[in-house]
Amino acid sequence: MSKLALVRFAIVACALGAILPFAPIAAPTAFAQDKPAAKGDRSEEPAAKAPAPKAGAQSPKGGEAKPAAQSDATQNGARRPALSRTAPAIERLREAIDQIDASLRAADIGDSTLVQHRGRLEPVRDELREIIGSLESRHADVETRLKQLGAAPEEGEPKEDPALTEERSRLEERRAVLDGALKQTRLLQLRADNLSVRITERRRELFTQQLLGRNASAADPAFWAQAVRATPDAWHGLVLVGQGWMDHLTANATQWNLVAAGVALLVFLISAGLFLRWFVRRDFQPKELGTRFAKSFFALKSLIRIGVTSPAIVLGALLILNAFGLLTERVGTIGLSLVAAVGIAAFGHGVAIGLFAPDEPDRRLLAVKDETARLVAGRLTWAARILGAVVLLNAVLQAIVAPVALTVATNVIFAVIIVALLSQFLFLLGHREALEDDVAGSGWLRSAGWLLAIGIIAALVTGYIGLAAFLAGRFLAALGLIGALYILLTFIDALFTEVLTASSPRGRAVAHFFGMRPRSVELLGTLLSAVIRLLLVLVVLMPLLGPWGIFAADFVGVLKDATFGFKIGDVTISLRTIVIAFAILMVGILATRALQSWLNATFLPRTTLDPSLQNSVSTIFGYVGVIAAISLALAQLGVDFQKITLVAGALSIGIGFGLQSVVSNFVSGLILLAERPIRVGDVIAVKGEEGRVRRIHVRATEIETGDRASVIIPNSELITQVVKNRTHTDSFARGAVQVGVAYDSDVAKVRDTLLDIARSHPHIVQTPGPTAFLTGFGESAINFELSWLVRNLGDSAGVKSDICFAILERFRAAGIVMPFPHRTIAIEGPADDDVDTADTTPRSGPEKPAPRRAAPKKPKAR
């Protein structure tokens, strides 16, 4: 067997040895705290098994629940009650709400009890939402059936079938029962919502009292004397916890049990060590080093390796000991606090290494120098370790029921150490800023840091120790979470902008795997990146803003309320209805476009309609489909057509008061956006202006001319006037140049030279290729015209200049003469011998003086 096979066998054996001891983990843990179960939990009291209220029974809050339990059975008694299952569930939820309401009236209620009530109330609110949705659906069904039956015949009208009368009576009775149950359930939902608000307000009040509670000053010697006197009591409590643990082991743990736990713990630690060694040595690295994606990848790898593995190992060891029954409740609580402390310390260290990489500058995510990176990483690591130690120490003091003075003293020591680290860091950073340029511009950061340090010191001196500890702890938590958020955001952004792009090999491979176009994969990646980053920001904001009164449970409650909806007037607004309406709109528009394409490509060409009529039919169908999709989306949002009619009426009144031009431009803009005769990026000429279309608004269109000026043209001008679109079908542009050669030139050679010049230019399209024509015979030259196509209209001027330069160079090298016109001018005088004849042919040299005309002779006197 090879060495690699032996290593693999050892890893598998260790993994099996680590998994097998966890078999009894499904049993209740020794340190699990029993929480009182809410009566609203459906698992303990199913709605189907709850007894229905007896006739004449009164509910705890009155007799308003009685109609919900009544039957809508008709006289023959063959029909089932309408609310046989819903009424007991409503009653059970009412009792749960009454219990929570009565508990909240206590004056000495604590935060843990409030959190427990919050946990009991949320399932009640969710179940109430489900019941309301079911009742509303059934109520709407009954209303629809009653509308189909119509009103009962009046006096004097023909009588209807008795079966219809009986059915109407049954439906009206059923509607009354459902309406009563729906009103009761909505009242319960209102009470539950009010209880949720009260719980949040009480928690905020308790937090404010705890935060702004004033103790003795940290500079008061009596305060420290009280803490010293409380130390023996804390030590005695810690000894009692240790003795209780030993007594538990002596009474419950056997020798084999201890041996098995030790073996399992050893196997787990060896397996974890092998995994860490493999993970560290594994060459997880991108191919392109030094890029933004590579740096963010290494930062994320360091964060996972350091910040996750250490607390995971401690938690695994704790679970192994608990699986074998070796932990008491208090020791288990302290063990969980140890996991949290190790997690805080490791997380801070992982963030520091991931962001600054003090020993690997090439993998550093933030562009700072080595000395600054070592300084920041070291201070951040030690601050995280101190925070973890304080968390563990406070948990131990709480478990041993230590005096409050020791907890307050611990917070003071923690705040003082954090202020000392922060002050030292700010001093060194300021000194380094005076010597180097890599930290220049950080003055506002140092000012904020000094303000924080001064605030903590002032809180300690004035006795607001809770506020000082809160500021110090929240400062460190914000640093760690924002650092981790920056690593994750950078990695996600770099992944979708550098790796999974349409031009990268990985992006094309992903597109090929899913059967999509690379551009589509890039677009979906951009949207997915935005969604993931938004969720990451929300996840970080929840623990950061939690202690300020915006608790995580409240935040989730707000999201739930937004999902299920809230009413504004008669319209219910919810994320669910918005998403469904948007989906209906998109599906409707896509289906309309698909059918429109089918009409244009398959159906209409086979008819006898002329092309213009085919285009009109297709366009009208597109308008009708879009209007239908918008109408269905508005109906899903709860906007009825009567409101749309009112808007249309108001619009018609506005048109009557002089908004014709506005409406004309508006409709023209819709036509431009729908038919797209002009698109963004097209080069158009209209009303003497020529330029490239930059934006198409609802009222006007903006074009940019060649001199970088913006021209705003109303949309109605683009619809009613003649518009020249140079790039309507494509961006190709035609270029041409005329050239004349001497009559004794080889015209075939001239033609071939011109074609060779055009074909050798990289921007000229070869299919269809350039052409050279002999266009005529001039006075002194044979005229040729060379024409070509370029792919981009913006390259026309540059290509024409290159062609002219090349023609001059190639013709001179080939001896092809481009003549210029020769003209002879004869000036007649009185006598032939008095007139000078001059050759006025233009020369390339300096100009010669014009020939002097002979003065006419005077006639002789007689």
Side-chain angles (χ1 to χ4, degrees):
M1 185 179 294
S2 63
K3 182 178 180 180
L4 181 60
L6 287 174
V7 173
R8 290 178 178 175
F9 177 77
I11 293 175
V12 172
C14 293
L16 290 176
I19 294 173
L20 289 177
F22 287 94
I25 197 72
T29 59
F31 54 89
Q33 297 180 359
D34 297 331
K35 296 183 179 181
K39 280 197 172 185
D41 191 358
R42 281 176 278 180
S43 62
E44 294 185 3
E45 191 177 352
K49 296 183 179 180
K54 297 181 180 180
Q58 298 293 329
S59 63
K61 289 292 180 181
E64 65 271 19
K66 177 66 180 65
Q70 291 178 351
S71 170
D72 68 340
T74 55
Q75 296 177 359
N76 55 13
R79 293 183 178 89
R80 192 174 56 180
L83 302 175
S84 59
R85 295 185 179 181
T86 307
I90 295 175
E91 189 63 29
R92 172 171 50 83
L93 296 176
R94 184 195 304 277
E95 294 178 0
I97 292 175
D98 291 339
Q99 291 179 1
I100 297 175
D101 190 7
S103 177
L104 287 178
R105 294 174 183 173
D108 56 346
I109 189 171
D111 186 70
S112 59
T113 307
L114 292 174
V115 173
Q116 182 180 355
H117 287 333
R118 163 76 72 171
R120 294 176 57 192
L121 187 60
E122 287 305 319
V124 173
R125 296 178 67 191
D126 294 340
E127 191 171 355
L128 285 173
R129 290 191 186 101
E130 295 177 2
I131 294 175
I132 289 175
S134 175
L135 291 176
E136 287 178 345
S137 176
R138 294 159 66 182
H139 191 273
D141 179 66
V142 172
E143 287 283 354
T144 304
R145 294 164 66 181
L146 282 173
K147 288 181 180 179
Q148 291 176 351
L149 287 177
E154 297 180 358
E155 245 180 80
E157 294 183 357
K159 294 184 178 180
E160 64 180 357
D161 190 355
L164 295 178
T165 304
E166 181 183 359
E167 180 68 15
R168 184 182 295 106
S169 301
R170 188 184 69 83
L171 290 176
E172 289 177 350
E173 183 181 358
R174 184 180 183 87
R175 179 177 61 181
V177 173
L178 289 173
D179 187 65
L182 192 56
K183 291 179 179 178
Q184 295 175 32
T185 312
R186 286 173 178 168
L187 287 176
L188 287 179
Q189 185 185 30
L190 181 61
R191 288 186 59 195
D193 294 340
N194 292 335
L195 287 177
S196 177
V197 173
R198 287 172 56 189
I199 290 174
T200 302
E201 292 177 353
R202 291 289 296 272
R203 293 189 66 190
R204 290 174 180 172
E205 292 175 1
L206 290 176
F207 173 74
T208 304
Q209 293 174 3
Q210 182 181 3
L211 185 64
L212 301 180
R214 190 171 181 180
N215 305 96
S217 173
D220 187 2
F223 168 78
W224 296 105
Q226 184 181 4
V228 171
R229 288 194 299 268
T231 303
D233 295 337
W235 177 256
H236 179 67
L238 185 61
V239 171
L240 291 179
V241 171
Q243 290 179 353
W245 188 18
M246 297 304 297
D247 295 340
H248 174 76
L249 293 178
T250 304
N252 300 319
T254 62
Q255 183 177 1
W256 291 106
N257 198 15
L258 294 175
V259 172
V263 172
L265 187 61
L266 181 62
V267 171
F268 171 74
L269 294 177
I270 293 175
S271 302
L274 292 175
F275 173 78
L276 282 178
R277 185 178 180 184
W278 169 81
F279 185 79
V280 172
R281 293 188 175 184
R282 179 69 175 175
D283 192 17
F284 294 112
Q285 64 179 10
K287 296 181 180 179
E288 301 84 5
L289 299 179
T291 61
R292 186 162 169 259
F293 172 72
K295 293 180 180 179
S296 60
F297 178 83
F298 288 126
L300 182 61
K301 178 183 175 183
S302 300
L303 178 61
I304 295 175
R305 177 176 59 85
I306 301 174
V308 176
T309 55
S310 299
I313 292 175
V314 178
L315 179 61
L318 186 67
L319 291 176
I320 290 176
L321 296 177
N322 179 69
F324 287 94
L326 303 180
L327 298 178
T328 61
E329 181 178 350
R330 290 189 178 183
V331 174
T333 303
I334 296 174
L336 292 178
S337 303
L338 177 62
V339 174
V342 173
I344 291 172
F347 181 78
H349 183 50
V351 171
I353 298 300
L355 286 176
F356 300 99
D359 298 329
E360 297 175 295
D362 296 336
R363 300 183 178 185
R364 189 171 298 154
L365 191 58
L366 296 179
V368 295
K369 292 188 177 181
D370 296 344
E371 294 78 5
T372 304
R374 295 191 191 96
L375 175 64
V376 178
R379 296 304 181 275
L380 184 59
T381 300
W382 275 107
R385 291 171 180 172
I386 293 169
L387 179 60
V390 170
V391 169
L392 177 61
L393 183 58
N394 284 333
V396 172
L397 293 177
Q398 185 178 3
I400 63 178
V401 196
V404 181
L406 285 179
T407 303
V408 177
T410 303
N411 293 334
V412 171
I413 295 173
F414 165 68
V416 169
I417 294 176
I418 296 302
V419 167
L421 283 176
L422 179 61
S423 302
Q424 183 193 19
F425 169 74
L426 294 175
F427 177 78
L428 294 177
L429 187 65
H431 179 68
R432 197 173 300 281
E433 182 178 356
L435 300 178
E436 301 177 0
D437 296 332
D438 64 323
V439 291
S442 62
W444 65 275
L445 288 175
R446 292 190 294 111
S447 300
W450 284 117
L451 287 177
L452 177 63
I454 294 172
I456 295 175
I457 294 174
L460 291 175
V461 173
T462 55
Y464 292 100
I465 296 174
L467 178 61
F470 170 78
L471 291 176
R474 195 52 39 190
F475 168 68
L476 296 181
L479 286 181
L481 291 175
I482 292 175
L485 178 64
Y486 181 79
I487 293 174
L488 292 173
L489 293 181
T490 306
F491 174 77
I492 295 297
D493 184 65
L495 175 65
F496 289 103
T497 57
E498 295 182 6
V499 179
L500 299 179
T501 59
S503 59
S504 64
R506 291 189 181 94
R508 291 193 294 269
V510 172
H512 178 72
F513 178 80
F514 288 103
M516 302 171 62
R517 293 183 301 175
R519 286 293 179 187
S520 301
V521 172
E522 185 174 359
L523 178 61
L524 292 176
T526 303
L527 296 176
L528 184 61
S529 171
V531 172
I532 293 176
R533 286 184 289 174
L534 178 61
L535 292 177
L536 288 175
V537 172
L538 292 178
V539 168
V540 171
L541 284 178
M542 287 171 60
L544 276 182
L545 300 180
W548 294 98
I550 306 177
F551 299 94
D554 303 332
F555 188 80
V556 175
V558 171
L559 293 181
K560 285 185 178 180
D561 294 338
T563 302
F564 286 98
F566 53 92
K567 286 190 175 182
I568 299 179
D570 295 334
V571 180
T572 300
I573 300 177
S574 66
L575 293 178
R576 181 171 56 183
T577 54
I578 291 174
V579 171
I580 295 175
F582 181 76
I584 291 175
L585 181 62
M586 290 294 101
V587 171
I589 292 177
L590 292 177
T592 301
R593 297 304 183 194
L595 290 176
Q596 198 173 9
S597 301
W598 176 78
L599 287 175
N600 291 329
T602 306
F603 180 74
L604 291 178
R606 298 182 180 181
T607 62
T608 58
L609 302 177
D610 57 275
S612 61
L613 185 56
Q614 293 179 16
N615 184 35
S616 300
V617 170
S618 174
T619 304
I620 293 174
F621 177 81
Y623 289 155
V624 172
V626 171
I627 292 173
I630 294 174
S631 301
L632 292 175
L634 291 176
Q636 177 64 33
L637 291 175
V639 180
D640 55 6
F641 291 99
Q642 294 180 355
K643 296 182 177 64
I644 300 176
T645 306
L646 291 176
V647 174
L651 183 61
S652 62
I653 295 174
I655 294 173
F657 278 102
L659 298 179
Q660 294 91 342
S661 60
V662 175
V663 175
S664 175
N665 290 325
F666 174 75
V667 176
S668 300
L670 295 180
I671 294 174
L672 288 176
L673 295 175
E675 290 187 354
R676 302 183 69 194
I678 297 172
R679 295 164 296 184
V680 175
D682 287 349
V683 178
I684 65 173
V686 57
K687 297 182 72 66
E689 300 288 347
E690 182 174 352
R692 187 176 299 275
V693 178
R694 290 301 180 191
R695 294 178 184 86
I696 300 178
H697 300 286
V698 176
R699 189 195 64 83
T701 297
E702 177 186 350
I703 65 173
E704 183 180 348
T705 60
D707 56 353
R708 309 290 294 178
S710 295
V711 180
I712 309 300
I713 300 177
N715 290 330
S716 58
E717 299 288 342
L718 300 176
I719 296 298
T720 59
Q721 300 294 328
V722 177
V723 180
K724 183 178 181 181
N725 193 340
R726 296 183 178 274
T727 58
H728 181 60
T729 55
D730 52 50
S731 61
F732 287 12
R734 182 181 180 275
V737 64
Q738 288 80 26
V739 62
V741 298
Y743 272 94
D744 58 350
S745 301
D746 186 354
V747 292
K749 182 178 180 181
V750 172
R751 180 193 61 192
D752 295 340
T753 303
L754 292 175
L755 291 176
D756 184 59
I757 291 172
R759 289 168 181 167
S760 61
H761 199 283
H763 290 169
I764 292 180
V765 178
Q766 303 301 323
T767 305
T771 58
F773 295 104
L774 194 155
T775 58
F777 303 97
E779 296 180 0
S780 59
I782 302 175
N783 296 325
F784 282 85
E785 180 180 1
L786 175 64
S787 61
W788 61 85
L789 288 178
V790 293
R791 296 186 182 276
N792 192 355
L793 181 64
D795 298 335
S796 300
V799 171
K800 186 172 183 179
S801 176
D802 295 342
I803 294 295
C804 292
F805 275 108
I807 288 175
L808 289 174
E809 183 180 356
R810 294 285 296 274
F811 276 19
R812 289 173 182 173
I816 300 174
V817 178
M818 291 187 292
F820 43 86
H822 296 266
R823 290 182 177 88
T824 301
I825 301 176
I827 300 177
E828 296 182 356
D832 295 340
D833 55 351
D834 293 333
V835 178
D836 294 334
T837 301
D839 185 5
T840 59
T841 303
R843 304 295 181 184
S844 59
E847 294 184 0
K848 296 181 179 181
R852 187 179 61 178
R853 182 176 180 180
K857 294 181 180 181
K858 296 182 179 179
K860 296 179 180 181
R862 292 183 180 179

